[in-house]
Amino acid sequence: MRRLFVVLPWILLIIVVIGFIAWQKMQVPKPPIAADGVKMPAENIKPLIDTTRTGGVVSYSGAVKVAAPAVVNIFTLQKTQQQQISPVNEQFLREFFGDQIPEQLQPEQQNSLGSGVIVHPDGYILTNNHVIAQADEIIVGLHDGRKAKAKIIGTDPETDLAVIKIEMEQLPVLPFKLSGNEVGDVVLAIGNPFGVGQTVTQGIISATGRTGLGINTYEDFIQTDAAINPGNSGGALIDVSGNLIGVNTAIFSKTGGSLGIGFAIPAQLCQQILDSILKDGRVVRGWLGIEVRGLDNSSDLTLDNPVTGVQVMGVLVNGPAAQAGIQKGDIILSIHGQAINNANQLIAYVATQKPNSEVTAVILRGGQQKEMMIKIAERPRDKATRLPIPGR
C-alpha cells in the first residue's frame, strides 16, 4: 500500500503531461485543402491581419464621427413654366382648378443636389453658390435625419460661396482649421455624391494655392486626390482630426466623374467670406480700378536684369489707381512691401484690403522705379450680390 502512494503521483503527472501535449496538437490549424483536394503547405497560410505593423493610422472613424454630423445634404428646387405662366395667372389657375391643375399647365420642377457644412450653432451653413443659385426652394437634410427649409443669407459668386440658414436647435458645428495644411497631408472629403447619401472618401493634399484655373474670379484652391463627384459641391474637406480645412467646390474631369483632381476653397477664405456676409450681407472687397497681366520677360521687357511683377494694361478713368498716378504700361513690382509675382496674387491681395486704406506700390516706368501711394476703393457693388440681413 505504501508503494502505491509513492507511484501514484508520478502516474498522475505523466497523464497530465500527455494530455497537455495532445491539447497543443489540437490547437495547430490543419493545412487547408485546395479545390482539387491537395493539401496546401502550412507555410503558405497568412494571417488576415498583418500584425507586424508598428505604427500608422488604421482608421479615420474618429475624424468622421466628429465631422459627419455637421455635413448636410442640400436639395434645391427650381420651378419653370412650360407655357411661361405669370404668378398672377398661376394663382388664378389654382383658384379655378384647385390642386388639380392640368399637367400641361403645371410648373415644371428642376431638382439639383449638393452639400453644405454647418459652421455656426445658430444654423448658418456654408455651401457653394452654384448649389443654391436660382433655387426657389432649399431643403437641408441633416445627418441625424432631420430636415428643414433654408433661406439664403448672402452669396459671393466670385468665390462660389454662399451662406444659408436653417431654424433648428442643437446643431453640430464643424470648426475651421485656418493654418498648418501641407502637401501630403491625409484628408477626407464628405458629401452627397450623385444623391446616394453621405459618403466619405480619402486622399491627400496634392497642392495648395492653386490659381489661374478660370473657375472663380478669386482663386486660392487646395487640390486633392480624394474622390469628389457631382453632389459633393459644398461639402467638407477635413483633416484626420475632423477639422474643416476647406469646402469642396470643383473637379477637373473629362468624363464627369472623379479623376483624382479635385479643388476645395481653403478654410481661411471661407471664414473671411462667412464673416463678411454675416456682418454686411455681402462681401466687401478692395479695388484699384486697373487691368493687369503677368510678365513675359522674353518679350515684354528689354532689360539686362529681368524683373518680376505685373504690367498695367488699362487704367479706369478717375479710379483709385488713376488718381494715384498709375499709367498704362507701368509695371507693379510690389505693393505694401509684398513682391508681386502674378496678376492673381495682386488681385487677391487688394481684395482683402479695406476700402479707404492706403498702400504703397513700387512701380517700374521707363526703366526707373517709383514709389506711389494708392488709396484703395470698394469694389463696385454690381460685381457682387447683396442680400439683407434678417432683423436689420
Side-chain angles (χ1 to χ4, degrees):
M1 180 65 68
R2 183 176 182 181
R3 179 177 297 180
L4 179 61
F5 282 108
V6 174
V7 175
L8 185 59
W10 290 98
I11 294 175
L12 293 175
L13 178 61
I14 293 172
I15 293 173
V16 171
V17 171
I18 293 174
F20 178 77
I21 294 173
W23 178 82
Q24 276 193 321
K25 288 184 177 181
M26 291 175 62
Q27 304 309 308
V28 177
K30 296 181 180 180
I33 300 177
D36 56 3
V38 179
K39 292 184 178 181
M40 297 175 60
E43 57 267 24
N44 290 337
I45 301 176
K46 294 183 179 180
L48 296 178
I49 299 176
D50 183 4
T51 57
T52 62
R53 293 184 60 181
T54 57
V57 177
V58 295
S59 175
Y60 301 105
S61 62
V64 174
K65 289 176 181 177
V66 169
V71 181
V72 301
N73 297 341
I74 296 178
F75 306 89
T76 62
L77 175 65
Q78 182 180 359
K79 296 181 180 179
T80 60
Q81 301 294 339
Q82 291 184 1
Q83 299 186 9
Q84 301 297 321
I85 304 172
S86 69
V88 174
N89 290 336
E90 182 179 351
Q91 180 63 28
F92 170 77
L93 289 171
R94 291 195 180 279
E95 291 177 357
F96 186 82
F97 290 104
D99 292 331
Q100 303 300 319
I101 298 177
E103 183 177 352
Q104 65 271 24
L105 296 179
Q106 290 183 8
E108 288 185 334
Q109 296 181 348
Q110 295 180 351
N111 300 311
S112 60
L113 302 169
S115 306
V117 186
I118 303 174
V119 292
H120 195 283
D122 289 340
Y124 293 103
I125 297 172
L126 198 62
T127 185
N128 285 144
N129 177 66
H130 75 259
V131 170
I132 54 88
Q134 301 179 356
D136 292 311
E137 187 174 352
I138 304 172
I139 302 296
V140 173
L142 274 67
H143 185 260
D144 60 11
R146 291 182 292 171
K147 293 182 180 180
K149 286 187 177 182
K151 56 185 176 182
I152 299 175
I153 300 302
T155 65
D156 184 41
E158 295 182 300
T159 57
D160 195 20
L161 286 172
V163 179
I164 61 177
K165 187 176 189 294
I166 57 176
E167 298 296 336
M168 196 170 284
E169 298 179 350
Q170 297 180 346
L171 293 171
V173 176
L174 194 54
F176 289 106
K177 182 184 180 184
L178 302 179
S179 62
N181 303 314
E182 297 183 359
V183 174
D185 286 352
V186 174
V187 292
L188 306 174
I190 308 178
N192 180 25
F194 300 107
V196 300
Q198 193 175 87
T199 302
V200 181
T201 56
Q202 178 259 333
I204 63 169
I205 294 178
S206 305
T208 58
R210 286 289 193 220
T211 61
L213 302 177
I215 300 174
N216 299 331
T217 303
Y218 297 98
E219 297 181 340
D220 180 21
F221 291 116
I222 297 172
Q223 181 180 328
T224 177
D225 66 347
I228 298 175
N229 290 290
N232 273 110
S233 293
L237 189 70
I238 65 170
D239 63 11
V240 294
S241 297
N243 298 303
L244 180 65
I245 67 172
V247 170
N248 302 319
T249 188
I251 60 173
F252 175 82
S253 176
K254 295 182 179 179
T255 63
S258 175
L259 295 179
I261 304 178
F263 301 99
I265 303 170
Q268 186 172 11
L269 180 55
C270 292
Q271 178 80 75
Q272 293 172 357
I273 300 302
L274 174 67
D275 291 345
S276 186
I277 288 177
L278 294 185
K279 178 182 177 182
D280 302 312
R282 59 189 174 88
V283 178
V284 178
R285 290 188 171 93
W287 180 66
L288 293 181
I290 57 175
E291 181 182 351
V292 296
R293 71 167 185 176
L295 289 178
D296 179 3
N297 284 306
S298 63
S299 58
D300 290 331
L301 299 174
T302 55
L303 300 174
D304 294 334
N305 297 316
V307 298
T308 300
V310 294
Q311 189 168 25
V312 178
M313 305 304 297
V315 182
L316 182 68
V317 177
N318 295 325
Q323 293 178 4
I326 300 292
Q327 300 177 8
K328 180 179 179 180
D330 288 347
I331 297 171
I332 301 177
L333 304 176
S334 67
I335 189 164
H336 214 58
Q338 180 177 336
I340 300 299
N341 298 314
N342 55 66
N344 288 323
Q345 180 189 5
L346 175 64
I347 293 171
Y349 175 81
V350 173
T352 61
Q353 305 306 301
K354 294 181 179 180
N356 298 320
S357 62
E358 293 185 339
V359 294
T360 301
V362 176
I363 69 165
L364 185 65
R365 180 188 298 169
Q368 300 294 322
Q369 291 190 12
K370 294 185 177 183
E371 190 174 280
M372 293 185 170
M373 186 70 70
I374 308 175
K375 187 176 183 179
I376 292 177
E378 181 180 344
R379 184 174 175 84
R381 295 184 181 181
D382 60 357
K383 299 293 184 181
T385 302
R386 180 181 178 87
L387 293 165
I389 291 291
R392 293 188 179 183

